[in-house]
Amino acid sequence: MAKMFNKPIKMLILTLMSIIVVSVSAATYYNLIMEPRVATSAPTIELVAGDDSATAGATGYAIDGTWARFTSLKAYPNATLTYEEAINLSNTDASNAHSVRFRHKSITNLNGSATPTNFTRIAFILIAQNGTTVISSFNYTGGASWSTPSTTSYVSIPANEEWAIRVETLAVSGSMANVMVEIDMYIDVQE
């Protein structure tokens, strides 16, 4: 007689378990629907060649206006080397100002731990269209280790203006030759 009830009890337990699993699953899964449409567009703030871009060794600069790499920036011992227009920022919007800021991403010592001790300073300075007004400065300083800059405040580039990014480099007295550092930084744009 015990065997007669064994099979129905097992079936009842399995049925109850499946009901519990289904009700728990139904309570935890549901869908939200979102349908974004994304269109390609030209950026309103673009990186464009400056007067010193070729001297600075800009390769691939202004690829779609959003990326630049310099391969030949130099730093002299005890002498500030200035690239007045290493690259420029252009506001291509004819009607509206847009804001930008500099933000640190990474710094890589390509010659090991000796790299920062060979540099005094590497600075990126945003210069207004008039060529003299310093808008913002973003400075890396060497020494025992790199001191990385804080994110700058947003500054507004007026419509149809092109501002220069001046790069200034300075190595320590008696610095070793061919010591290299790679800096990755962001230029954030508010549209």
Side-chain angles (χ1 to χ4, degrees):
M1 181 127 178
K3 285 189 176 190
M4 281 174 69
F5 293 111
N6 210 4
K7 195 172 188 179
I9 289 176
K10 282 184 183 178
M11 286 300 289
L12 179 63
I13 290 172
L14 285 173
T15 303
L16 288 173
M17 286 178 63
S18 67
I19 290 171
I20 291 171
V21 168
V22 167
S23 64
V24 168
S25 294
T28 56
Y29 295 104
Y30 60 95
N31 292 324
L32 299 176
I33 298 172
M34 185 171 80
E35 295 179 353
R37 290 186 180 181
V38 180
T40 58
S41 178
T44 53
I45 300 290
E46 293 183 327
L47 290 165
V48 296
D51 288 347
D52 295 325
S53 290
T55 306
T59 58
Y61 61 84
I63 294 175
D64 294 330
T66 60
W67 177 83
R69 170 176 280 161
F70 296 97
T71 58
S72 300
L73 292 174
K74 297 176 184 174
Y76 295 145
N78 267 357
T80 299
L81 180 57
T82 302
Y83 300 90
E84 285 294 335
E85 292 185 32
I87 197 145
N88 292 349
L89 281 178
S90 178
N91 182 353
T92 62
D93 190 331
S95 305
N96 300 299
H98 296 280
S99 296
V100 298
R101 70 177 182 184
F102 292 149
R103 182 166 49 98
H104 170 71
K105 179 184 178 196
S106 66
I107 188 163
T108 305
N109 297 322
L110 300 178
N111 295 91
S113 60
T115 303
T117 59
N118 280 274
F119 290 93
T120 302
R121 186 175 123 236
I122 302 170
F124 301 87
I125 303 160
L126 188 59
I127 307 292
Q129 185 166 310
N130 65 18
T132 58
T133 305
V134 173
I135 303 298
S136 185
S137 185
F138 197 64
N139 301 315
Y140 291 83
T141 54
S145 63
W146 285 106
S147 175
T148 58
S150 299
T151 301
T152 64
S153 299
Y154 277 102
V155 294
S156 182
I157 299 179
N160 264 347
E161 283 202 10
E162 188 172 304
W163 289 5
I165 298 177
R166 176 190 299 157
V167 178
E168 295 177 357
T169 63
L170 176 61
V172 298
S173 178
S175 62
M176 297 184 316
N178 299 316
V179 173
M180 293 174 45
V181 63
E182 183 174 276
I183 297 171
D184 288 331
M185 57 190 276
Y186 295 110
I187 300 171
D188 296 329
V189 178
Q190 283 184 334
E191 290 197 345

